[in-house]
Amino acid sequence: MRRTLASFVFSLCLSLVAYGQGGSGSIGGKVTDPNGQTIAGAKVTATNTDTNISADTVSTEAGDYQIIQLVPGPYLLVVEAPNFKKLERTGVTVQVADRLTIDFPLEVGAVNETVSVTAEAPLLRTQDAQTGEVIDNKQIQNLPQINRDPLQLLILAGNVQGDGSRAEGNSDTRINGGRTQGVEYLVDGIAAGQGRDHGVSSVFVPNMDAVAEFKVITNGISAEYGRLSGGAVELVSLSGSNSFTDKCLSICRKTR
C-alpha cells in the first residue's frame, strides 16, 4: 500500500513538472545598436499581461537572447541596456509551441527615456522547419461541436483527413496520410495516447471550457516529439489571469 501511494505521489510530481513545460513557447533574437552592432548584457524581460508573471534574460556577447518556457498568451517585452533608451514592445502573442524571433534595435540615450513599439509578432517561423496550425480559444468556444470534444476540431487544420475522432482501432483520422494510431496527442506536455491503438481517453483531455488552444503540427517535427507518424496535436489548458471576466462567470455558472 505504501509503495503504491509513493508511486502515485512520484507520478503526480512528474506530471506537475511536465505541466509547467508542456506547450510552452519561446522568444529569441538579437539586441543591436543604431549601427547594427550587437549589444551584450542587455536585459530582456517578457511579462504576460494576463497574469503579470515575468521572465527575463541577458543578451550574450553576440547580442543573442532567448526566453523559454513561456505560457501561451499576450506579452509585453522590455529591453534595457546602459547608455541606451529603454524599449518596450506590446502586441506580442505567444501561441502553443511557438518559437518567435524578435530583434531589438536600441537607440542611444538615457535609460529613463522609453521608446514604445506596438506591433504584431512575426508570422513566419524561421528557427526551424516546423509547420502547423493553431486552433485558438475563440474557435474552440464558438464553433459547434456535438460531442463537446475539443480535439475533434483538429480537422480545421490543413493536411488532416477523416472525421477528427481520436485514435483507436476504428478511427478514421489521419495527418499527412499517416496511420491514426501514429498521431501523438499531448495535453500540457504529457502524452495522452495509451495502449496498443494509442487511444486517447476523455480522462486525459480537459473539457472545452478548460482548453486554451491547441496546435496541429503537420511537418518538420523535431526530436522532442516521438512515437508518431504523420503529425502531433499539442493542447494547452487555460491558465489563470488577474481579471475576473464574464467568461469566468459563465464557466462558474455551468459548473454549479
Side-chain angles (χ1 to χ4, degrees):
M1 180 65 181
R2 290 182 178 178
R3 286 185 177 180
T4 303
L5 180 59
S7 299
F8 172 76
V9 173
F10 180 70
S11 300
L12 179 61
C13 292
L14 290 179
S15 299
L16 291 174
V17 172
Y19 173 81
Q21 299 174 350
S24 59
S26 68
I27 301 174
K30 281 186 176 292
V31 183
T32 59
D33 64 16
N35 297 320
Q37 299 299 311
T38 58
I39 300 176
K43 182 180 179 181
V44 183
T45 304
T47 302
N48 187 313
T49 55
D50 279 348
T51 62
N52 280 342
I53 294 177
S54 299
D56 59 68
T57 188
V58 176
S59 61
T60 65
E61 290 295 329
D64 298 315
Y65 78 92
Q66 186 176 42
I67 302 176
I68 62 174
Q69 302 298 336
L70 295 176
V71 174
Y75 280 85
L76 165 67
L77 301 179
V78 178
V79 186
E80 301 171 275
N83 303 318
F84 291 93
K85 297 179 182 179
K86 180 169 69 174
L87 190 150
E88 294 183 352
R89 178 164 179 167
T90 59
V92 177
T93 300
V94 176
Q95 294 184 312
V96 55
D98 259 349
R99 301 290 182 269
L100 301 181
T101 299
I102 302 178
D103 296 330
F104 292 107
L106 300 186
E107 298 180 8
V108 176
V111 179
N112 58 2
E113 296 181 274
T114 302
V115 176
S116 298
V117 179
T118 303
E120 294 295 328
L123 298 179
L124 294 178
R125 181 171 179 142
T126 59
Q127 298 89 337
D128 53 38
Q130 185 188 109
T131 58
E133 191 166 344
V134 173
I135 311 303
D136 61 28
N137 186 260
K138 188 174 183 179
Q139 292 173 295
I140 294 171
Q141 296 299 325
N142 294 333
L143 291 176
Q145 222 307 301
I146 297 176
N147 299 322
R148 299 285 294 165
D149 181 4
L151 289 180
Q152 198 158 3
L153 294 176
L154 67 88
I155 59 176
L156 297 174
N159 291 339
V160 177
Q161 302 84 37
D163 58 9
S165 57
R166 302 181 190 182
E168 57 184 7
N170 59 355
S171 174
D172 187 42
T173 303
R174 304 171 307 282
I175 298 179
N176 290 324
R179 299 177 63 195
T180 300
Q181 293 89 336
V183 178
E184 177 72 300
Y185 295 85
L186 299 105
V187 177
D188 290 327
I190 303 173
Q194 58 182 342
R196 184 186 66 180
D197 293 330
H198 210 180
V200 181
S201 170
S202 299
V203 176
F204 299 107
V205 181
N207 63 47
M208 296 188 74
D209 294 319
V211 175
E213 61 187 30
F214 65 87
K215 184 174 185 178
V216 183
I217 305 171
T218 53
N219 283 294
I221 299 173
S222 63
E224 65 186 284
Y225 302 96
R227 307 186 307 164
L228 59 87
S229 63
V233 180
E234 186 157 5
L235 180 148
V236 176
S237 58
L238 280 171
S239 59
S241 68
N242 290 325
S243 58
F244 197 68
T245 62
D246 293 336
K247 181 177 179 182
C248 295
L249 288 172
S250 65
I251 293 175
C252 290
R253 293 190 188 103
K254 291 178 183 178
T255 56
R256 284 179 180 176

